[in-house]
Amino acid sequence: LAKTTQPISMDSYEGQEVNITCSHNNIATNDYITWYQQFPSQGPRFIIQGYKTKVTNEVASLFIPADRKSSTLSLPRVSLSDTAVYYCLVGGGRDTGRRALTFGSGTRLQVQP
Amino acid sequence: DAGVIQSPRHEVTEMGQEVTLRCKPISGHNSLFWYRQTMMRGLELLIYFNNNVPIDDSGMPEDRFSAKMPNASFSTLKIQPSEPRDSAVYFCASSLGRGSIQETQYFGPGTRLLVL
C-alpha cells in the first residue's frame, strides 16, 4: 500500500513560504496525490491534486518529482489563517479502494505573527 | 448549493442509548463517505457508498455501528448501543462518484458526539 509520511508539525511566520513534503515511496502508476486542509472544528477541505511535475491553483502549488516518490505542497506567503492541519493522500483509479482515503496524521502548521 | 448537511451538530447521550447521525450529500453526488475523527486515531474512514450501495464497510468498528443510504439524498449512521469510546467527531463527505476514488470530497461540518 502507498503509505504516506509527513512531518507531524511545522512552524512558520506570516509572509513566509511554507513547504510541506509528503513521502510515498510505494506510489502506484495510477495513483494521484491529493492534499486536504483542515481547520479546527471543521471538516477537511480539498486544496490541490496532481499526478506529476507541477500543479498550481489560487491557493497552493504542488511539486512532484519525476520518480513521484514524494510531493511538496507549497503555500506562498502564509497568513495566520493558514494555521491548520494538512493531509497528503495517495491513490486513484477504480481499484484503489480505501487506501486512497487514508488521511494519516497530517502536518500541523502553526503560523505566528 | 448548501454543501453537505449533517445533523445534529452536537449530541450528548448516555452509555447504552441509541444514536443516529444524519447526512444529506450535495445534490448530484453519487458517492458518500462516513468518517470518524478522534485525537488518538485521527480521521478514519468508516464506510462509503456509491449510488446508494455500500462499497466498503471494513472500517466500521463493530456490530454496534450500522449505516444506511435509502436514497441518493440521505444517509444515516447508527450506533446501538453507544459506549463512551464512541465519543468523536463524525464527518460525512460526498463526491461526484464518477468512478475514481480520488475525486474531490466535500465534507460536512461534522457531528460532535459525546457518550457519557
Side-chain angles (χ1 to χ4, degrees), chain A residues 31-34 36 38 40-46 49 87 89-105 108, chain B residues 9 33 35 37 39 41-48 56-60 91 98-110 112:
Chain A
D31 285 346
Y32 281 76
I33 301 155
T34 310
Y36 282 81
Q38 185 178 24
S41 301
Q42 295 185 25
R45 183 183 71 157
F46 172 88
Q49 183 180 80
Y87 297 95
L89 282 71
V90 173
R94 293 178 180 271
D95 299 327
T96 299
R98 65 172 32 244
R99 72 176 175 86
L101 307 174
T102 300
F103 276 75
S105 301
R108 188 173 300 274
Chain B
R9 293 294 309 276
F33 310 80
Y35 291 86
Q37 187 169 39
M39 289 293 293
R41 301 177 67 89
L43 191 62
E44 303 174 281
L45 176 67
L46 299 177
I47 184 172
Y48 69 93
D56 186 334
D57 64 354
S58 59
M60 296 287 265
F91 289 104
R98 291 178 178 173
S100 171
I101 201 69
Q102 202 69 351
E103 291 173 341
T104 299
Q105 293 185 54
Y106 297 83
F107 283 76
R112 187 172 298 274

Side-chain angles (χ1 to χ4, degrees), chain A residues 11-32:
Chain A
D11 292 314
S12 183
Y13 292 94
E14 283 191 294
Q16 290 188 334
E17 178 184 75
V18 171
N19 295 309
I20 305 174
T21 297
C22 179
S23 297
H24 28 80
N25 292 321
N26 297 323
I27 190 169
T29 302
N30 294 330
D31 285 346
Y32 281 76

Side-chain angles (χ1 to χ4, degrees), chain B:
Chain B
D1 198 317
V4 175
I5 299 173
Q6 292 186 246
S7 64
R9 293 294 309 276
H10 298 87
E11 177 81 30
V12 181
T13 189
E14 292 186 343
M15 182 175 62
Q17 297 297 308
E18 176 181 300
V19 175
T20 299
L21 311 181
R22 298 172 176 80
C23 175
K24 176 178 170 56
I26 293 173
S27 177
H29 282 191
N30 296 317
S31 290
L32 183 140
F33 310 80
W34 282 100
Y35 291 86
R36 177 175 67 176
Q37 187 169 39
T38 61
M39 289 293 293
M40 291 297 294
R41 301 177 67 89
L43 191 62
E44 303 174 281
L45 176 67
L46 299 177
I47 184 172
Y48 69 93
F49 297 83
N50 186 254
N51 292 322
N52 312 335
V53 176
I55 303 301
D56 186 334
D57 64 354
S58 59
M60 296 287 265
E62 48 198 271
D63 292 343
R64 297 185 297 107
F65 285 69
S66 62
K68 295 181 179 180
M69 192 164 185
N71 57 63
S73 59
F74 183 67
S75 176
T76 60
L77 178 67
K78 184 178 295 185
I79 308 172
Q80 180 184 20
S82 59
E83 297 182 2
R85 58 185 169 138
D86 301 330
S87 299
V89 180
Y90 290 82
F91 289 104
C92 175
S94 70
S95 69
L96 285 170
R98 291 178 178 173
S100 171
I101 201 69
Q102 202 69 351
E103 291 173 341
T104 299
Q105 293 185 54
Y106 297 83
F107 283 76
T111 295
R112 187 172 298 274
L113 173 65
L114 177 61
V115 182
L116 302 174

